[in-house]
Amino acid sequence: LFPRCGDPLGGSPSLTQSRHSQHLGACAEALARFRRERRRDLALAAEQLRLARRELGRITGHVGTEDVLDIIFRDFCIGK
């Protein structure tokens, strides 16, 4: 990510929207946590990769089932 887009936390000029910078920064943080966890707990490391992929998907427009469910449960009153 860094060679292609620069440091997202430093405000790289190649990122045109602030939300892209935020998502790319969150992705980089998840990848850093993955590097720390991969030797200790494989399940926690895999979760960090999932979070990193999700942040990239928010930039590229990829929306998964989990994203839709998050919006439904956050924005709508279900079961009341």
Side-chain angles (χ1 to χ4, degrees):
L1 295 174
F2 292 118
R4 186 154 180 105
C5 299
D7 182 359
L9 302 176
S12 172
S14 62
L15 296 173
T16 59
Q17 295 185 14
S18 65
R19 73 175 186 87
H20 289 169
S21 179
Q22 292 170 350
H23 291 306
L24 195 55
C27 176
E29 290 170 7
L31 290 173
R33 289 189 302 267
F34 164 76
R35 279 188 232 116
R36 289 191 300 269
E37 289 292 337
R38 68 180 177 199
R39 291 188 178 95
R40 289 185 261 167
D41 188 330
L42 191 56
L44 291 176
E47 175 65 7
Q48 296 308 316
L49 285 179
R50 187 190 68 77
L51 292 172
R53 183 197 57 81
R54 184 176 179 188
E55 292 297 331
L56 288 178
R58 289 181 172 173
I59 294 171
T60 63
H62 173 75
V63 178
T65 304
E66 189 173 309
D67 297 315
V68 173
L69 291 175
D70 285 347
I71 292 169
I72 290 172
F73 285 106
R74 183 187 70 222
D75 295 346
F76 297 101
C77 185
I78 303 286
K80 291 185 181 178

